Amino acid sequence: MRVAIFIELPKGGALNSVFDIAKSLVDKKIIVDLYTTVPIENSEKKIFSNVFYYPIKIREWSGNNWKRRLFRDTVENIRLYLLHKKIALIIDKKKYDIAFINPSKHIESPFILRFLNTTSIMYSHDPYDRLIYDQINVIPNTINGVKYYYEVAYRYARKFVDKSNFNKASKIIANSYFT
C-alpha cells in the first residue's frame, strides 16, 4: 500500500500527531510519502520514504495595512490554490492508494481536496470554528465603513471556500466525536 500525506501545519500538537500516524503506517510496512509546503526537520524526514517540499511564502497581516491585507486575501490565496492544484496532480499521477490530508495553516480546509482524484481522507484535528461556530456578522465595533463591508464579504467567502473544500474529501476522520 502507498500513502501520500499532505501537511501545511505549523509546529505543534497537530503536526506531531501526523508524524505519529506516519510512523505507525511505516511500522506496518506501508510506503508513506510526504508532500508539504512547510519546512520539515531532518529527524522528521527520516520517517518518510520520500519528502516533497513545495515552499510558498505567505506573509501574515498584522493590521493597519489595507493593501497588504487585500494582497493576502486575493493574490496569495490564488497562489496557494494553484500550488495545491499542482500537488494534487502530482499525487494523482503517482497512483497512491490514499491521500491523507491535514488542515492548512493558511486556509482551514486546504484547496488540494478540490483537485484530488485519489481517495482522500481529511483528518480534522480540531473543530473548524469558521465552518461551525463563527458568526459572520459579529465584527468588532472598531471596524466601520468600507472595512466593515469588506470584512463581512471576506468572511462569507472564506466560510464558503472552507466548507466546499472540506466537503470534497472522500472521508473525514477526527480524533473525537466532538471534533
Side-chain angles (χ1 to χ4, degrees), residues 40-58:
I40 302 298
E41 294 181 24
N42 286 335
S43 60
E44 294 156 340
K45 288 180 183 177
K46 294 176 185 177
I47 300 167
F48 303 94
S49 300
N50 297 293
V51 175
F52 302 98
Y53 176 47
Y54 301 89
I56 186 167
K57 186 175 182 176
I58 295 182

Side-chain angles (χ1 to χ4, degrees), residues 2 54 56 67 90 109 118 138 174:
R2 298 178 64 235
Y54 301 89
I56 186 167
K67 289 178 185 177
I90 292 167
S109 53
T118 303
V138 178

Side-chain angles (χ1 to χ4, degrees), residues 24-172:
S24 68
L25 293 172
V26 169
D27 289 346
K28 294 177 181 166
K29 307 295 185 223
I30 295 173
I31 296 169
V32 181
D33 291 345
L34 178 67
Y35 292 80
T36 181
T37 64
V38 295
I40 302 298
E41 294 181 24
N42 286 335
S43 60
E44 294 156 340
K45 288 180 183 177
K46 294 176 185 177
I47 300 167
F48 303 94
S49 300
N50 297 293
V51 175
F52 302 98
Y53 176 47
Y54 301 89
I56 186 167
K57 186 175 182 176
I58 295 182
R59 291 177 280 160
E60 293 299 317
W61 175 70
S62 59
N64 297 329
N65 185 342
W66 67 269
K67 289 178 185 177
R68 175 76 206 109
R69 167 82 189 268
L70 187 60
F71 185 80
R72 188 204 65 190
D73 292 348
T74 56
V75 174
E76 288 187 344
N77 275 327
I78 292 168
R79 287 178 45 234
L80 186 66
Y81 176 93
L82 294 172
L83 180 61
H84 285 195
K85 183 176 184 177
K86 174 184 172 181
I87 296 169
L89 293 172
I90 292 167
I91 289 172
D92 285 342
K93 188 185 276 188
K94 292 188 178 184
K95 306 280 186 212
Y96 289 95
D97 297 300
I98 295 170
F100 187 69
I101 310 301
N102 293 273
S104 168
K105 69 179 183 177
H106 305 297
I107 183 167
E108 293 177 25
S109 53
F111 292 114
I112 193 170
L113 291 165
R114 290 177 176 259
F115 305 111
L116 280 171
N117 291 319
T118 303
T119 300
S120 59
I121 297 173
M122 174 69 185
Y123 181 34
S124 180
H125 296 269
D126 57 14
Y128 285 96
D129 294 341
R130 186 172 287 117
L131 295 178
I132 301 166
Y133 302 110
D134 192 22
Q135 292 183 351
I136 289 173
N137 58 355
V138 178
I139 296 175
N141 293 336
T142 57
I143 298 176
N144 53 35
V146 174
K147 290 179 183 178
Y148 173 83
Y149 293 108
Y150 176 82
E151 190 64 31
V152 169
Y154 179 73
R155 288 183 184 194
Y156 271 111
R158 268 306 277 270
K159 186 171 185 170
F160 175 79
V161 168
D162 278 330
K163 194 170 187 176
S164 61
N165 287 349
F166 196 71
N167 288 332
K168 294 289 183 180
S170 305
K171 298 281 182 203
I172 299 167

